[in-house]
């Protein structure tokens, strides 16, 4: 299969061409008006004249080689076209025809037949049920819908799992002056998949950014592979993935399952892979346009230059939302700006140069030049936009924008430009940008700051990938390989904790007690106070059934607690016993759990634990494997992260120690193999540098039926 050949044919046959089809009319018009220089052959079983040109009755009648067949015949006739084309050596096809897997069982059968024939004969097929593609970089446009004018050529590759949205995406990209290298409508992906196209775009010299609209991620392992390739190559992937509704818990026994919804896992996976996830088509295009213009950005310290005080306040608020820093200007910068900004202005970051720009047309540019030289700034955000309406004499406007463009090009740090609101770039605005070199302008402060925050985070992920800071597995001392013999069902704390301890993970000491005397003896060995817990196979949430007693300070309390715990537990598990542990106090309770996602595999959830799990649902997710550095980043994402820093005078947690233990738990979960459904430690008590599992639960997958 050759995706390269699919997107770069030298000759094309439109099979099923007819004057009665708008698809046929549009496809031929697109090829003829957007630069395709090769022959376009029309094929209609009746022959005759189609679209004003002679038509062949079949592919066999075409006297010269065909590189790409664009198929628009009825559903049942598609396979016949492929068989004819394969005999003639035609390797690439776009199948516009619908009525396959999306239409029911019979359609799915025909689609499977087509896919099987393609695999057997090495055919490359885009579709079925897709509109085709626009290779703007190579002037190849076998695309079944009208292409809005002008077709802007640029460096954003767009891959869509929705044909209906393609025209809207194209139109909005044009409205924001964002040029595309390739746009493809995937259809049913029976042969060529999204990841195949992304693979192509990673190697495509005309593409700098890859924009995806995803309804589903069909193969997470392949998606991960191509995403890592793109990140290492410095080509950002910006993705709008729809379908964010939370589905049922994967594992009823563990809290972790309730924290890990399908979309949460996709979010975590994309973050780890350096994929920028956006929430709207506008952000998809605006963010892609920014990164196509700037490439990686050097840091998150932003200097802001605007002619508006109100805009400065909005920018300050949104910058904080996005984790961007607006540091004070250096003393030298303040001194220089004081000589530039009118006396009624205030020199600070964000900088409002005031409405005096209407009097002094050089004011904004001189202020920009000063701010870009500040040593404490990584990049500068300039509030400006192309003009909308052409004046009678455009020369002064062109000169002003040319001067600004020159300052931006000569800046020692990147300058990103954003307009106040999201409006279309007019034809005159495009002319000004084209003739003066004025850079890409993000549409509106809201979308612009969203894009800038995403670009900075991607840049950090890209740098980590280049320095080898990506997620990696680790070895845990004493960890077993595969599940223990006979592992099945739910392992409550007494068995789960023993397995963790055998792997070298820190677990609170405990002893089982068969009677009251044994419980008291264990308590005496640990020293008071102690905790008593119910212990039985399959017994998950002990506290829900009254199976836990805390803070026991003497023998009589232990005896009474033993009787109460056994009575409560044996109502649910006749063979229940009791576990005795030393009481631990203070510290911060975390949850560290691993659950198997049906698509992405084992997924780590780390967050506030104990009784706060259900109440706050404050957890960060990561798809395994992870290393300690990735766990540190996950901990920093928690809403309650300040608790770990020692809020209100409490002892701060040793985050390196926490990250090491959690990474070890994750690696141990991986070592248990495919039989593991979930492993949860709740709470994982953190007291300074001491990190200790106080409770654990393991659920094993049922054997295949």
């Amino acid at each position: 299969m050759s995706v390269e050949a699919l997107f770069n044919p030298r000759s094309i046959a439109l099979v099923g061409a007819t004057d009665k089809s708008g698809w046929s009319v549009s496809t031929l018009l697109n090829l003829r008006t957007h630069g395709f220089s090769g022959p376009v052959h029309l094929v209609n079983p009746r022959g005759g004249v189609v679209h004003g040109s002679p038509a062949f009755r079949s592919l066999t009648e075409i006297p010269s080689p065909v590189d790409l067949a664009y198929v628009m015949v009825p559903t049942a006739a598609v396979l016949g076209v492929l068989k004819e084309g394969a005999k003639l050596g035609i390797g690439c096809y776009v199948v516009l025809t619908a009525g396959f897997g999306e239409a029911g069982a019979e359609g799915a059968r025909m689609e499977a037949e087509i896919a099987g024939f393609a695999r057997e004969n090495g055919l490359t097929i885009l579709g079925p049920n897709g509109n085709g593609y626009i290779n703007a970089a190579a002037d190849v446009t076998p695309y079944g819908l009208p292409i809005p004018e002008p077709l802007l050529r640029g460096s954003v590759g767009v891959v869509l799992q929705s044909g209906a949205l393609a025209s809207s995406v194209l139109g909005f990209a044009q409205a924001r002056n964002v040029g595309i290298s390739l746009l493809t409508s995937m259809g049913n992906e029976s042969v060529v998949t999204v990841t195949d196209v992304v693979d192509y775009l990673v190697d495509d010299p005309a593409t700098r950014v890859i924009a995806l609209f995803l309804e589903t991620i069909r193969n997470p392992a392949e998606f991960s592979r191509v995403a890592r390739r793109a990140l290492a190559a410095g080509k950002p992937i910006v993705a709008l993935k729809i379908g964010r509704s939370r589905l049922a818990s994967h594992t009823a026994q563990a809290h972790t399952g309730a924290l890990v919804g399908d979309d949460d896992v996709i979010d975590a996976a994309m973050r780890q892979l350096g994929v920028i996830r956006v929430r709207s088509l506008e952000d998809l295009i605006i963010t892609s346009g920014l990164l196509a213009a700037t490439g990686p950005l050097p840091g998150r310290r932003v200097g802001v230059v605007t002619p508006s005080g109100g805009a400065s306040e909005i920018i300050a608020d949104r910058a904080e939302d996005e984790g961007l820093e607006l540091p004070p200007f250096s003393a030298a910068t303040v001194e220089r700006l004081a000589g530039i900004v009118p006396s009624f202005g205030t020199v600070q970051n964000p900088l409002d140069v005031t409405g005096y720009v209407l009097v002094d047309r050089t004011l904004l540019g001189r202020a920009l030049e000063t701010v870009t030289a500040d040593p404490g700034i990584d990049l500068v955000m300039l509030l400006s936009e192309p003009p909308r309406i052409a004046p009678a004499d455009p020369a002064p406007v062109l000169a002003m924008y040319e001067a600004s463009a020159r300052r931006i090009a000569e800046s020692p740090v990147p300058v990103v430009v954003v307009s106040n609101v999201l409006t279309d770039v007019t034809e005159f605005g495009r002319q000004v940008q084209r003739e003066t070199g004025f850079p890409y302008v993000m549409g509106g402060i809201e979308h612009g700051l969203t894009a800038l925050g995403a670009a900075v985070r991607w840049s950090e992920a890209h740098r980590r990938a280049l320095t080898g800071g990506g997620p990696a597995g680790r070895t845990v001392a004493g960890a077993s390989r595969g599940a223990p013999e006979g592992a099945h069902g739910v392992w409550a704390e007494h068995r789960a904790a023993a397995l963790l301890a055998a792997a070298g993970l820190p677990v609170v000491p405990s002893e089982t007690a068969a009677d009251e005397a044994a419980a008291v003896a264990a308590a005496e060995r640990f020293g008071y106070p102690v905790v008593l817990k119910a212990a039985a196979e399959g017994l998950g949430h002990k506290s829900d059934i009254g199976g836990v007693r805390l803070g026991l300070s003497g023998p009589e309390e232990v005896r009474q607690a033993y009787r109460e715990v056994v009575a409560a537990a044996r109502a649910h598990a006749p063979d229940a016993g009791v576990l005795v542990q030393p009481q631990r106090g203070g510290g911060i309770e975390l949850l560290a759990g691993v659950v198997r996602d049906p698509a992405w595999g084992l997924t780590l959830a780390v967050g506030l634990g104990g009784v706060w799990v259900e109440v706050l649902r404050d957890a960060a997710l990561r798809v395994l494997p992870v290393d300690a550095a990735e766990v540190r980043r996950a901990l920093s994402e928690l809403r309650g992260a300040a608790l770990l820093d020692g809020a209100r005078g409490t002892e701060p947690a040793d985050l390196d120690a926490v990250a090491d233990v959690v990474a070890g738990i994750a690696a141990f979960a991986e070592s248990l193999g495919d039989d593991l459904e979930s492993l949860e430690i709740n709470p994982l008590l953190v007291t300074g540098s001491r990190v200790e599992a106080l409770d654990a639960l393991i659920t094993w997958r049922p054997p295949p039926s």
Side-chain angles (χ1 to χ4, degrees):
M1 184 174 73
S2 174
V3 177
E4 168 79 25
L6 172 70
F7 292 135
N8 295 276
R10 293 163 297 180
S11 59
I12 298 174
L14 304 186
V15 185
T18 171
D19 292 323
K20 298 177 181 178
S21 168
W23 305 100
S24 182
V25 171
S26 293
T27 305
L28 181 61
L29 182 64
N30 290 334
L31 289 167
R32 285 178 172 172
T33 59
H34 290 289
F36 183 65
S37 58
V40 179
H41 308 287
L42 305 179
V43 178
N44 183 296
R46 295 184 177 86
V49 175
V50 177
H51 306 321
S53 300
F56 298 99
R57 293 186 186 83
S58 67
L59 288 169
T60 305
E61 286 190 3
I62 299 174
S64 56
V66 172
D67 293 330
L68 172 70
Y70 189 91
V71 182
M72 300 174 285
V73 301
T75 308
V78 170
L79 183 58
V81 173
L82 300 181
K83 288 180 176 179
E84 181 187 13
K87 290 179 181 177
L88 298 170
I90 302 173
C92 297
Y93 300 81
V94 172
V95 180
L96 181 83
T97 308
F100 288 94
E102 79 284 359
E106 177 58 21
R109 184 195 64 76
M110 288 190 288
E111 184 172 330
E113 194 174 11
I114 285 172
F117 181 80
R119 285 191 296 270
E120 292 169 6
N121 293 273
L123 306 184
T124 303
I125 300 176
L126 180 64
N129 188 33
N131 297 327
Y133 66 84
I134 300 169
N135 187 347
D139 297 325
V140 184
T141 54
Y143 184 72
L145 294 173
I147 297 175
E149 295 289 347
L151 174 57
L152 301 180
R153 290 158 174 82
S155 56
V156 177
V158 183
V159 187
L160 303 166
Q161 283 182 331
S162 170
L165 288 177
S167 294
S168 297
V169 170
L170 266 176
F172 185 72
Q174 174 192 324
R176 291 308 313 159
N177 208 28
V178 175
I180 65 167
S181 56
L182 175 79
L183 180 144
T184 179
S185 169
M186 296 305 304
N188 293 3
E189 299 183 61
S190 63
V191 178
V192 175
T193 65
V194 165
T195 51
D196 293 327
V197 180
V198 173
D199 242 345
Y200 167 81
L201 292 174
V202 170
D203 297 325
D204 177 28
T207 299
R208 296 188 67 185
V209 178
I210 301 164
L212 307 179
F213 176 87
L214 300 173
E215 294 173 341
T216 184
I217 297 176
R218 301 179 191 276
N219 187 326
E222 269 296 286
F223 184 86
S224 298
R225 181 188 65 80
V226 297
R228 289 191 183 98
R229 279 197 70 218
L231 184 63
K235 291 195 176 183
I237 296 178
V238 186
L240 173 56
K241 167 66 177 69
I242 60 172
R244 294 190 288 124
S245 57
R246 180 179 291 274
L247 299 182
S249 157
H250 296 308
T251 308
Q253 286 286 342
H255 291 103
T256 309
L259 297 173
V260 182
D262 289 357
D263 191 68
D264 299 314
V265 178
I266 292 171
D267 230 20
M270 287 188 173
R271 190 180 303 112
Q272 287 172 257
L273 294 167
V275 175
I276 299 168
R277 188 174 185 186
V278 296
R279 303 296 187 190
S280 68
L281 291 171
E282 291 86 353
D283 285 331
L284 180 68
I285 297 304
I286 291 170
T287 306
S288 298
L290 170 65
L291 281 160
T294 66
L297 295 171
R300 56 178 60 224
R301 299 176 301 171
V302 183
V304 179
V305 180
T306 87
S308 165
S312 296
E313 296 297 331
I314 298 172
I315 291 168
D317 289 345
R318 287 291 291 115
E320 183 174 304
D321 295 341
E322 295 295 333
L324 300 172
E325 300 172 15
L326 304 182
F329 294 132
S330 69
T333 301
V334 171
E335 183 179 357
R336 288 183 61 193
L337 288 173
I340 296 173
V341 176
S343 58
F344 51 85
T346 302
V347 176
Q348 62 183 19
N349 188 20
L351 177 65
D352 169 21
V353 299
T354 78
Y356 204 71
V357 292
L358 297 176
V359 177
D360 180 357
R361 297 290 186 178
T362 69
L363 176 57
L364 193 66
R366 289 186 293 130
L368 173 67
E369 195 169 35
T370 300
V371 172
T372 59
D374 190 296
I377 298 297
D378 296 316
L379 61 110
V380 173
M381 177 177 172
L382 173 66
L383 200 68
S384 182
E385 57 189 297
R388 297 183 56 78
I389 301 173
D393 180 8
V397 173
L398 291 170
M400 182 176 67
Y401 276 89
E402 186 174 16
S404 294
R406 186 169 58 252
R407 280 191 170 99
I408 291 170
E410 294 172 354
S411 168
V413 296
V415 176
V416 297
V417 187
V418 63
S419 58
N420 279 308
V421 294
L422 179 56
T423 54
D424 292 356
V425 178
T426 64
E427 184 53 46
F428 179 62
R430 276 195 290 273
Q431 176 192 341
V432 169
Q433 289 188 275
R434 185 171 57 250
E435 293 184 10
T436 67
F438 194 78
Y440 169 72
V441 179
M442 295 184 286
I445 295 171
E446 172 66 27
H447 293 288
L449 265 297
T450 297
L452 186 56
V456 165
R457 291 188 290 275
W458 174 83
S459 301
E460 292 169 347
H462 174 55
R463 284 192 288 275
R464 286 197 298 271
L466 293 181
T467 57
R474 52 166 280 174
T475 302
V476 181
S480 61
R481 293 203 174 269
E485 186 176 350
H488 67 277
V490 177
W491 279 18
E493 180 181 0
H494 63 293
R495 294 188 71 183
L499 189 63
L500 293 168
L505 294 168
V507 179
V508 65
S510 62
E511 291 185 23
T512 57
D515 53 37
E516 293 178 26
V520 171
E524 299 286 349
R525 283 190 290 273
F526 288 133
Y528 294 103
V530 296
V531 177
L532 261 64
K533 300 177 181 178
E537 294 297 334
L539 196 59
H541 302 308
K542 299 177 289 293
S543 58
D544 292 348
I545 63 167
V548 178
R549 294 292 185 275
L550 305 174
L552 305 175
S553 58
E556 287 308 313
E557 290 186 21
V558 170
R559 294 178 187 276
Q560 178 66 25
Y562 181 91
R563 292 190 293 270
E564 292 172 351
V565 167
V566 167
R570 287 182 179 172
H572 301 272
D575 60 345
V578 167
L579 202 64
V580 184
Q581 296 174 342
Q583 173 89 30
R584 297 294 194 226
I588 302 160
E589 293 186 347
L590 297 180
L591 173 143
V594 176
V595 65
R596 187 176 300 279
D597 180 83
W600 293 87
L602 293 178
T603 302
L604 169 72
V606 59
L608 295 183
V611 298
W612 300 112
V613 177
E614 294 95 341
V615 178
L616 298 180
R617 301 180 64 86
D618 185 13
L621 306 184
R622 293 294 188 271
V623 176
L624 301 191
V626 294
D627 61 6
E630 190 64 35
V631 174
R632 280 289 303 260
R633 285 190 285 273
L635 290 169
S636 71
E637 295 169 9
L638 299 176
R639 298 192 302 276
L643 294 173
L644 295 168
D645 296 331
R648 290 187 172 269
T650 58
E651 183 179 8
D654 182 339
L655 293 177
D656 287 332
V658 177
D660 280 339
V661 170
V662 174
I665 293 166
F668 176 61
E670 285 188 287
S671 78
L672 295 175
D674 294 339
D675 290 330
L676 180 71
E677 179 65 38
S678 71
L679 183 160
E680 178 174 288
I681 296 174
N682 182 31
L684 180 70
L685 185 65
V686 180
T687 309
S689 59
R690 188 176 75 180
V691 184
E692 197 173 39
L694 301 190
D695 201 346
L697 184 71
I698 296 176
T699 304
W700 304 101
R701 302 175 78 183
S705 56

